[in-house]
Amino acid sequence: MTDHIQFSPEKDCLVLLDQRYLPNREDWFDVITTDDVCYALVTMVVRGAPAIGVTAAYGCYLAGREVQKDGAADWKAELDAKLTQIHDARPTAVNLRWAVREMRRIWAEAGDVSLEALLAIWLIRAKEIHVGDIEMCELIGTFGGPLIDEGDTVMTHCNAGALATAGYGTALGVIRGAVDQGKKIQVIANETRPFLQGARLTAYELHKDGIPVKVACDNACALLMKQGMVQKVVVGADRITANGDAVNKIGTYGVALLAKHFGIPFYVAAPLYTIDLETACGDDVPIEDRTPREVTHIGDHQITPDGVEVYNLAFDPTPNELIAGIVTEKGVIYPPYKENIAKMFE
Ligand code: MRU
């Protein structure tokens, strides 16, 4: 699946498969303005770290188009403010920050460029990032596939699949890699409260691809592991810090602790640009605090009493000592992570 993020040259806009309504409805969302970009990111029309990065890259181009249409005298200041707005839409996934920084770097290098010329360069770069992401995920599959054995049941948490990337996926890239390498395996998708990325999205795309998948409630994890139903865990990451801690969807840390307890290898799969060398450890990563409504309601139905407060922290850091390996497009990084991550970037 690669058509869930499309740039339409006819409409000069980004067209996204609206992930809020999957698996029940395949609705499409046109992203035209900077506010559309931020709305799509914040409400999770599009979500998953690499998909957020690709959207942000096109988003910078769309912000420039909007500034051009506005015809403001000081286009540079207006564009700068819009890039900051996109940069700040979600705090945890480093890919969003990376994409906006990449566009800013290109702008700085282009020097005294016209807005029209800058837009042409940005669109080419956004398309490269888009296509490059699929290639990186396929390589993650090539390197990660051999970690999975014939007959394994692989547990995953959240959705780190095609929908969370430009295609193929990171954690699901490892699973697809194993399947493409001829192994018969099955997947347990943790449902991933409250947004249900596992129940709705991971199950949707694996089922579509004919890869056997069963959805489990998040709180079934310990029992399933104890009963020997899980041989490997593979998850994605929104940010991996310089010491190898991996920040991923809330609940991942608990899954990793349980995997350690039961002696099950726990792998993280992510492209190298998810590794944030500027941040020392997972506890230093800002954790997104999302709207309480995602917890208090299921659809339009309220499930908590009026006036009761809830937690809706969206991510948690898994300490590196719980991670058996980090699968990237350049190969698998093993402990000691600080040293081996640094070597990977040499
Ligand atoms: O809040 P989300 O749905 O954007 O969170 C997504 C995740 O936590 C994914 O596991 C992560 O981004 C890796 S995606 C390849």
Side-chain angles (χ1 to χ4, degrees), residues 44 47-50 90 158-160 164 170 197 237-238 248-249 315:
M44 303 212 279
R47 32 65 49 203
R90 291 189 75 186
C158 193
N159 171 262
T170 55
Q197 288 93 333
D238 289 80
N248 191 50
K249 179 53 54 191
F315 300 95

Side-chain angles (χ1 to χ4, degrees), residues 19 44 46-52 90 93 95 137 157-161 164-165 169-171 195 197 201 235-239 247-250 252 269-271 288 290 314-315:
Q19 298 192 26
M44 303 212 279
V46 61
R47 32 65 49 203
I52 289 172
R90 291 189 75 186
N95 313 59
C137 288
H157 192 75
C158 193
N159 171 262
T165 59
T170 55
F195 199 70
Q197 288 93 333
L201 309 176
V235 299
D238 289 80
R239 197 186 298 215
V247 179
N248 191 50
K249 179 53 54 191
I250 191 79
T252 304
E288 183 177 8
R290 291 183 60 80
F315 300 95

Side-chain angles (χ1 to χ4, degrees), residues 63 101 238 296:
R101 280 189 179 183
D238 289 80
T296 58

